[in-house]
Amino acid sequence: MEDYPRTVLELEDRFPTEEACREYLVRLRWPDGFACPECGNVGGWPATRGRIICAACRYEASVTAGTIFQDTHKPLRMWFRAIWHVTSQKNGASAVSLQQVLGLGSYLTAWTWLHKLRRAMVRPGRDRLRGRVEVDETYVGGQEPGGKGRRRGKKSLVVIAAEEDGRGIGRIRLARIDRASRDCLHAFIQSAIEPGSVVHTDGLPAYRGLEGIGYRHESSVLLGQSSDAACKFLPRVHRVASLLKRWLLGTHQGAVRPKHLDYYLDEFTFRFNRRTSASRGKLFYRLMQQATQIEPAPYHSIVGGRPV
Ligand SMILES: [Zn+2]
């Protein structure tokens, strides 16, 4: 039973207390009833501060342990508002807007929260793409904040997979790769696409050998042709590439450091794959659900172990 607020008023009414937030998380995390993380027994009693005591071994489980809410010093109500804000903005939220909406004293806190939420946008063990899938690479970025205005930074190579859905685009997967080598591209395809699918690429030799790892491979050789021709052969990945670039420029002013690009790709994918979901509440629900299923991302892992 998918249960979520439809409007900001419903959000306020629904989650007026920490207690209400915790109850919601309990239902999302254990939809079939509490299962003890210690002994596996199903069934327990609610205790104070959202803890649940296992009926068999008396282990005290916390609903936030192991989720992005673990060790937070801020109220869950604030997190719920943050998730509402992030999912209700059509093109995504910036750290500045999140800071303003929540009245956070620190920009860094807002920035860290956004990155934690982006991490939760990728569902653990998510389904791979299937059917006919276009794959191609593109360069993004190249601008970094710093000093006077923007300086030229390194461009990042991003590989895109897009399902064909009639004449339109189904689901997508994106990943940053070091180089367009056979190892990188094959590893991406295996993680993103179900074996047995048809993989449609250009004539890049690095794509050769896909049959050997369980795919049907269709390549459109584009030697000596213009990039317009590439758009015609692989229209979906090119459409996704241009939307991605526009989104990075529009929402984030292109100011994405290569080492953080993965998080932005996750957010773009989350939004794109749910673009037909009419209800903002449903996005809220999905992100909330995924946020209760993942490991916590401590601040250090987000900035690459380097405190700033
Ligand atoms: Zn137990």
Side-chain angles (χ1 to χ4, degrees), residues 225-287:
Q225 300 213 44
S226 66
S227 55
D228 288 352
C231 292
K232 213 158 52 182
F233 282 118
L234 299 165
R236 294 168 188 82
V237 282
H238 286 93
R239 174 92 185 118
V240 171
S242 77
L243 287 171
L244 171 67
K245 288 170 194 180
R246 199 186 306 163
W247 179 74
L248 287 171
L249 278 172
T251 307
H252 307 292
Q253 283 80 50
V256 173
R257 294 179 193 279
K259 65 179 176 183
H260 296 141
L261 182 62
D262 298 346
Y263 295 106
Y264 293 93
L265 297 182
D266 289 344
E267 178 175 0
F268 183 84
T269 304
F270 177 82
R271 291 181 183 284
F272 188 93
N273 287 347
R274 291 164 188 79
R275 66 198 181 282
T276 55
S277 174
S279 152
R280 296 289 126 192
K282 183 120 177 169
L283 280 188
F284 170 87
Y285 177 78
R286 285 277 168 259
L287 184 51

Side-chain angles (χ1 to χ4, degrees), residues 67-141:
T67 74
I68 65 166
F69 309 111
Q70 178 171 324
D71 301 329
T72 185
H73 299 299
K74 300 277 195 233
L76 285 172
R77 276 174 303 158
M78 211 172 205
W79 276 100
F80 278 44
R81 275 155 190 71
I83 292 179
W84 182 267
H85 178 69
V86 165
T87 50
S88 63
Q89 306 296 303
K90 186 164 179 287
N91 293 311
S94 66
V96 173
S97 75
L98 186 63
Q99 185 188 2
Q100 284 169 351
V101 164
L102 299 182
L104 288 168
S106 140
Y107 170 84
L108 196 55
T109 304
W111 185 91
T112 309
W113 281 30
L114 265 185
H115 273 61
K116 285 189 179 197
L117 292 176
R118 288 191 179 109
R119 225 186 91 119
M121 288 179 183
V122 176
R123 192 156 48 92
R126 61 187 175 177
D127 300 332
R128 290 183 285 186
L129 307 184
R130 57 177 70 236
R132 285 178 57 86
V133 183
E134 293 179 6
V135 177
D136 203 3
E137 332 83 54
T138 188
Y139 281 97
V140 302

Side-chain angles (χ1 to χ4, degrees), residues 18 25 28 33 43 58 64 72 137 146 163 170 181 183 211 229 251 253 261 297-298:
E18 292 298 284
L25 294 182
L28 284 177
R58 313 282 155 161
T64 53
T72 185
E137 332 83 54
E163 275 177 346
S181 68
D183 283 355
E211 288 88 353
T251 307
Q253 283 80 50
L261 182 62

